[in-house]
Amino acid sequence: MHKKSVFFPGCIKVVFRKGPLGYLLQDPTEEARVINVNPALQDKSAPKKEELVRQDALAVVRQRGGDASDKREVLGEYILQFGKYKGKSFRWLLENDMGYTIYLIKNLQQEEAMGVFTSEGPSKSSLLSFYNYACSFNEIQFLLSYVSKNLGAPAASSEGDQLVGFGAHAKSTWQEIWNNRADGYASFILGATCVPGTRMYKLQQYLRNQMQSARPPVVASSAASKPTVRECDAEHLPLQATVAV
């Protein structure tokens, strides 16, 4: 007796962007670029717990007629609870910014190798789930292997994507610290005495550079080019005749 196959009309597969030779494109899409340059579009709400994210994802898959028993399909509907793309689905990130995806994977692997990675908190749980989801694709495994052999560990897609890595804001990026500087944490870092080479020192240098870039250009004063009152008066003084004695 043949087992009856079940058809799920609402199944959605990841559509990887590939170049002419079939390699995954790592540059962000235009939609991702818009989010990168406009912090106002980034989700600043509190991260949700993993179980709530899972239940929401299951509801989405069932509603569109997908396979709720397919773990990878369900994970694709998980919503990111960290970073600049917070609020977007796992699948969306794979389709829109592969470079950032590879950065997240390599950064987590480095933290694990150093023994500093922790899965505590909704943001870290979300990162770990995304890591497992992304690494389940052969295309990404191939790209990771290629990057490791040919390019070494990839840098962050931008300097601001670096994770703080310490303290209460360990899970935040440098860019998020700068964007949320009104909360006072950036001022605390800027005023701290840091040991060169440490994570705090590097964050401090980044914030200083951001402050320098944010300052309005200094307009040269035109006062020097204007004659003083005394000079103006001197121009109108009558010439004294030379009197012969």
Side-chain angles (χ1 to χ4, degrees):
M1 182 177 179
H2 295 288
K3 184 178 180 180
K4 185 178 180 180
S5 59
V6 180
F7 175 65
F8 295 95
C11 284
I12 298 178
K13 304 294 183 182
V14 174
V15 180
F16 289 107
R17 294 180 301 127
K18 298 181 179 180
L21 299 179
Y23 297 109
L24 296 183
L25 297 177
Q26 298 189 58
D27 59 311
T29 62
E30 184 59 31
E31 182 180 358
R33 287 193 184 97
V34 170
I35 296 175
N36 277 326
V37 301
N38 192 347
L41 297 177
Q42 298 173 10
D43 188 347
K44 300 296 193 301
S45 62
K48 296 180 180 179
K49 293 184 178 180
E50 180 86 359
E51 181 57 27
L52 181 57
V53 173
R54 189 180 76 87
Q55 292 299 331
D56 289 344
L58 283 169
V60 171
V61 172
R62 289 168 179 151
Q63 185 176 17
R64 61 173 166 76
D67 185 1
S69 66
D70 186 335
K71 183 178 180 180
R72 188 157 75 175
E73 184 177 356
V74 174
L75 280 170
E77 297 296 345
Y78 271 41
I79 300 301
L80 293 162
Q81 301 300 312
F82 64 90
K84 58 187 177 182
Y85 297 126
K86 182 175 177 290
K88 295 294 185 181
S89 70
F90 285 10
R91 186 181 68 255
W92 182 94
L93 182 49
L94 295 193
E95 295 178 341
N96 287 272
D97 198 341
M98 184 55 63
Y100 185 61
T101 294
I102 297 301
Y103 162 71
L104 290 173
I105 292 173
K106 298 297 289 185
N107 191 71
L108 188 149
Q109 290 175 340
Q110 290 172 4
E111 287 188 359
E112 286 185 327
M114 295 168 59
V116 297
F117 178 78
T118 173
S119 59
E120 295 180 1
S123 295
K124 278 293 188 179
S125 295
S126 179
L127 173 59
L128 187 58
S129 292
F130 175 74
Y131 172 85
N132 292 329
Y133 170 70
C135 289
S136 70
F137 291 90
N138 291 331
E139 294 90 341
I140 293 180
Q141 288 293 344
F142 178 82
L143 179 58
L144 286 169
S145 177
Y146 175 82
V147 168
S148 298
K149 292 178 181 178
N150 297 277
L151 304 176
S157 54
S158 69
E159 188 181 22
D161 291 332
Q162 299 283 350
L163 292 177
V164 173
F166 63 87
H169 296 271
K171 304 164 188 175
S172 301
T173 64
W174 291 0
Q175 183 67 49
E176 288 172 337
I177 297 299
W178 172 250
N179 291 341
N180 299 317
R181 55 190 178 279
D183 64 11
Y185 187 69
S187 297
F188 165 73
I189 295 296
L190 287 167
T193 301
C194 306
V195 178
T198 61
R199 291 184 177 183
M200 182 180 286
Y201 176 82
K202 293 176 181 178
L203 172 58
Q204 186 182 70
Q205 298 308 303
Y206 169 79
L207 293 173
R208 286 177 176 174
N209 290 336
Q210 291 296 98
M211 286 187 65
Q212 188 68 29
S213 300
R215 287 175 181 169
V218 178
V219 179
S221 175
S222 59
S225 63
K226 294 181 179 180
T228 62
V229 174
R230 183 171 297 177
E231 289 172 338
C232 291
D233 291 342
E235 291 179 2
H236 299 287
L237 288 176
L239 294 175
Q240 294 182 352
T242 303
V243 180
V245 179

